[in-house]
Amino acid sequence: MKKLLILTNLVMGLSATAFAQKRPPSPPHPSKTELYNSKAHELEKKYNTEKKLIMNHPLATKKMKSDQLKALNARYQAEKKLLRSVK
């Protein structure tokens, strides 16, 4: 009877340990403000890199660059407005 009790406790302890190892604690979710700030920063970074690529393009004329910048600004403003509306 004693052996059965010890064996039962051992099996229960090992199964509890194995179950605890299978499910690590979930990471904390970012708050809505943190999520908004990270998306806004990502959008700003993307805008700046695209603007730099347009401005440093060796073959584009001034008119082509200005047209591309107008399109980029319009797209950026639309994405920024969409991001603000979700906030």
Side-chain angles (χ1 to χ4, degrees):
M1 186 68 182
K2 223 177 195 181
K3 287 184 182 179
L4 179 64
L5 184 62
I6 292 171
L7 185 62
T8 306
N9 284 341
L10 182 65
V11 169
M12 292 293 282
L14 289 175
S15 66
T17 304
F19 183 74
Q21 288 177 354
K22 284 182 188 174
R23 297 177 186 242
S26 61
H29 295 289
S31 69
K32 199 169 186 179
T33 308
E34 289 173 338
L35 197 58
Y36 172 79
N37 289 339
S38 69
K39 292 289 183 184
H41 180 70
E42 208 174 283
L43 183 63
E44 186 76 26
K45 196 171 167 184
K46 183 178 148 189
Y47 170 75
N48 288 334
T49 56
E50 286 187 36
K51 184 177 177 182
K52 193 181 292 183
L53 286 173
I54 291 170
M55 295 305 291
N56 293 333
H57 195 280
L59 301 176
T61 63
K62 285 184 181 180
K63 178 153 177 43
M64 288 170 63
K65 286 181 182 181
S66 69
D67 290 344
Q68 287 179 340
L69 282 176
K70 283 179 187 173
L72 178 66
N73 287 335
R75 193 176 75 224
Y76 173 70
Q77 292 302 323
E79 288 179 7
K80 193 80 166 174
K81 184 186 255 184
L82 180 66
L83 187 62
R84 270 192 236 116
S85 70
V86 172
K87 185 180 181 183

